[in-house]
Amino acid sequence: MKNKKGFTLIEIIVTIALLGLIGGVIAINIVNINKKQENQEETRIESTLKAAAEAYVKVEKITENCNLDIDELVKESYIKESEVEKYKEDYYIEVNIGEG
């Protein structure tokens, strides 16, 4: 009888393939988690900007449609700069005043 020690080439290849498959699944899940977090962050910032714009319109008694700049909301203390710092270039607020 032969004394079998070690692994065969097939066993090593199968093990490496399984580890690669597991690594691929983990990588895909990490990417999906990051995308979900980015979407939640965008939803949060949009909600914050909307609330700040609504407060600005009420307090400043805006009666006509206009575009608000995020810098204006920060300057007038309707929103903290730290909350919107990385979004200043991506967002503007369009205010549409409804009749009635």
Side-chain angles (χ1 to χ4, degrees), residues 1 18 23 34 42 47-48 62 78 84 86:
M1 237 193 221
L18 287 173
N34 287 340
E42 287 179 11
S47 175
T48 301
I62 305 295
Y78 287 95
V84 293
K86 69 180 185 179

Side-chain angles (χ1 to χ4, degrees), residues 27-92:
I28 289 171
N29 285 332
I30 289 172
V31 168
N32 288 338
I33 288 170
N34 287 340
K35 285 181 182 178
K36 184 177 179 182
Q37 288 175 339
E38 288 173 5
N39 288 341
Q40 288 174 342
E41 176 70 11
E42 287 179 11
T43 300
R44 184 195 66 78
I45 196 66
E46 287 171 0
S47 175
T48 301
L49 288 172
K50 182 179 177 185
E54 287 173 353
Y56 181 86
V57 166
K58 285 181 184 177
V59 171
E60 302 297 327
K61 297 182 171 96
I62 305 295
T63 59
E64 297 178 3
N65 295 346
C66 65
N67 290 329
L68 289 178
D69 187 25
I70 292 176
D71 289 327
E72 180 70 19
L73 295 175
V74 170
K75 185 175 95 177
E76 298 295 329
S77 300
Y78 287 95
I79 194 168
K80 294 180 184 175
E81 185 169 11
S82 61
E83 292 181 274
V84 293
E85 189 171 12
K86 69 180 185 179
Y87 298 98
K88 283 185 177 182
E89 302 298 320
D90 299 331
Y91 287 93
Y92 74 94

